[in-house]
Amino acid sequence: MALIALGVAFHLYLNVYAGIRGVDAPLVEAGESLGLGRWGLVRHVVLPGALPGAMTGLRYSLATAWLALVFGESINADAGIGFLMNQAREFFRTDVIVVCLVVYAFLGLLADALVRTLERLLLQWRPTFTGQ
């Protein structure tokens, strides 16, 4: 779990930080001139401006999480798909290995589709968003 958390935190932090730093200064000035306080700026200007970066970080983090999960289960686990794959490798069960890889691929694609759907819902306000 620590391996997954470490891998996820790195990508997510960097992309959220870049998203926050990438918020346009004129938008912040406009919010200040309209009388928004600190929390109002965060809620109405910074958070929507940093959301594309956060969603990109979430997608990268998800890919890293799956890689770390496969690695962790393959190296040191006594249950799970990676453990099953390791046992199949020892007994030359290629069919089980292929099924495990297909299951991992399906779960990865399903998780990516869920994040893309979330991205489509949260970023539909952007005029440049294409929804892909």
Side-chain angles (χ1 to χ4, degrees):
M1 291 178 89
L3 181 68
I4 295 170
L6 185 64
V8 166
F10 181 71
H11 289 295
L12 200 54
Y13 172 75
L14 286 179
N15 282 291
V16 169
Y17 182 77
I20 290 172
R21 299 299 287 177
V23 173
D24 291 334
L27 290 176
V28 175
E29 287 180 21
E32 288 173 346
S33 68
L34 289 172
L36 289 177
R38 185 173 180 90
W39 291 110
L41 278 174
V42 168
R43 183 170 179 242
H44 296 291
V45 177
V46 176
L47 188 61
L51 199 56
M55 296 308 291
T56 301
L58 184 62
R59 286 186 67 199
Y60 282 137
S61 295
L62 194 61
T64 303
W66 278 108
L67 288 172
L69 177 74
V70 170
F71 177 73
E73 278 189 347
S74 297
I75 298 300
N76 189 22
D78 55 358
I81 300 172
F83 176 73
L84 183 64
M85 232 166 64
N86 249 357
Q87 275 196 329
R89 181 185 53 86
E90 289 177 13
F91 296 115
F92 301 110
R93 297 284 316 266
T94 310
D95 56 338
V96 175
I97 294 172
V98 170
V99 168
C100 290
L101 289 174
V102 168
V103 168
Y104 272 135
F106 175 74
L107 290 174
L109 288 173
L110 180 68
D112 188 57
L114 287 173
V115 172
R116 281 180 183 254
T117 303
L118 182 66
E119 207 173 34
R120 197 173 302 120
L121 289 173
L122 292 177
L123 297 178
Q124 64 186 349
W125 57 269
R126 295 185 75 198
T128 59
F129 182 66
T130 59
Q132 296 175 348

